[in-house]
Amino acid sequence: MGADIIDGKAFAAKLRGRIAEAVADFRRDKGLVPGLAVVLVGEDPASQVYVRNKGRQTLEAGMASEEHRLPATTGQAELLALIARLNADPAVHGILVQLPLPSQIDTAAVIGAVSPEKDVDGFHVINVGRLATGQKALVPCTPLGCLMLLRDRLGDLSGANALVLGRSNIVGKPMAQLLLGESCTVTVAHSRTRDLAATCARADILVAAVGRPEMVKGDWIRPGATVIDVGINRVQGPDGKARLVGDVDFASAAEVAGAITPVPGGVGPMTIACLLANTLTAACRANGLEAPAGLAV
């Protein structure tokens, strides 16, 4: 008997619909349009695709979208000046600087320059600190999406043994904080963890975000566990064609798990949907309103 498939694509579509309804209410009640500004430096092909998709989905949700495309030779001072202008613009509620940035630019300085109240990536140290101390924060989009999928699947997460595989600032660490906030018992595992397979096998919830193709095997997984696979790895198949796989060996894991996200079609679609949720949350908070239920922590 195979695992239930957690359809992130369908969930994200419903989430975007809820956001669009809430944006319409916000526009009617406040006479304002939530606005997202995306900054892209250089011409990285993957980043260009992401930015194009973000712009399209922002407009579809009824929000204002503006893009600032800068050449790869842009200096740090010029980029920081643009961020300062966006920080000061009341029509912009969310600012996203697409990563990675060219080598001449200090990424940490750029992240730190974005107003925490407009930091829809949730990367600013003030938002990181707010999340860690249980305060209202803007939360990184991918972990927020993972949490939404887990809540939808399991309901109350309280008391569950949760393992986060990976300790990045973008996914692993904030994911652990979110699960702590749900009263899970949380373990963070990584490349130095001893007997990783046994550690994974104790988890009721396993979130894999380590960036290694199909690393987690089916016999690592506790029977009936819920598996959230954040990995997106491009590998060459037996036919010589490239394909996308996660950090979990889906075929063997699906034989054991109670529920699992596929790659593609699992966590990936949630990320942009949660970016829209964060932009709406930022717009609400900037105007003294609570974010709509279920969209923020």
Side-chain angles (χ1 to χ4, degrees):
M1 182 174 167
D4 293 337
I5 305 302
I6 298 174
D7 188 342
K9 188 174 182 181
F11 188 98
K14 287 191 288 186
L15 177 59
R16 291 196 305 272
R18 285 174 52 212
I19 292 166
E21 290 176 6
V23 168
D25 292 342
F26 182 86
R27 294 177 66 158
R28 183 190 65 238
D29 297 342
K30 283 290 181 181
L32 297 170
V33 181
L36 174 65
V38 177
V39 180
L40 175 62
V41 184
E43 298 179 357
D44 178 78
S47 292
Q48 289 185 319
V49 172
Y50 290 147
V51 167
R52 189 161 58 245
N53 288 339
K54 287 168 183 171
R56 176 176 53 79
Q57 293 187 27
T58 303
L59 293 172
E60 287 174 355
M63 300 185 191
S65 172
E66 59 180 73
E67 294 177 9
H68 299 267
R69 294 174 179 261
L70 305 177
T73 54
T74 299
Q76 183 164 317
E78 185 181 347
L79 178 55
L80 292 177
L82 171 59
I83 292 171
R85 291 198 300 275
L86 296 174
N87 282 338
D89 185 347
V92 173
H93 300 99
I95 301 169
L96 184 147
V97 181
Q98 183 67 43
L99 302 179
L101 291 167
S103 59
Q104 75 272 15
I105 295 175
D106 179 352
T107 299
V110 170
I111 291 171
V114 176
S115 165
E117 282 64 44
K118 298 188 178 188
D119 166 38
V120 287
D121 259 335
F123 294 163
H124 195 289
V125 290
I126 288 179
N127 279 317
V128 173
R130 286 172 177 162
L131 175 60
T133 52
Q135 300 177 59
K136 287 181 180 177
L138 290 170
V139 177
C141 301
T142 299
L144 181 58
C146 293
L147 179 63
M148 289 181 182
L149 293 177
L150 285 168
R151 283 174 170 170
D152 183 65
R153 166 70 190 178
L154 299 173
D156 182 13
L157 308 183
S158 177
N161 285 319
L163 176 73
V164 180
L165 180 53
R167 52 180 168 175
S168 72
N169 292 335
I170 294 173
V171 179
K173 290 176 184 174
M175 190 75 243
Q177 296 293 349
L178 287 171
L179 290 167
L180 283 171
E182 298 291 311
S183 298
C184 295
T185 300
V186 181
T187 301
V188 179
H190 45 77
S191 59
R192 302 289 180 90
T193 299
R194 294 174 185 168
D195 202 352
L196 185 55
T199 303
C200 290
R202 291 192 289 271
D204 305 310
I205 295 168
L206 172 60
V207 181
V210 74
R212 292 178 60 182
E214 300 179 322
M215 174 182 171
V216 178
K217 307 302 181 186
D219 58 8
W220 292 23
I221 292 168
R222 181 174 181 170
T226 300
V227 179
I228 304 293
D229 190 351
V230 182
I232 301 177
N233 308 285
R234 191 175 296 277
V235 300
Q236 192 169 3
D239 57 0
K241 294 181 180 178
R243 62 190 181 97
L244 292 179
V245 301
D247 292 347
V248 177
D249 179 19
F250 183 85
S252 63
E255 293 295 316
V256 184
I260 188 169
T261 57
V263 177
V267 174
M270 293 296 294
T271 299
I272 295 181
C274 288
L275 172 66
L276 303 180
N278 276 352
T279 302
L280 177 59
T281 294
C284 288
R285 290 175 179 169
N287 287 277
L289 302 174
E290 288 292 322
L295 298 188
V297 297

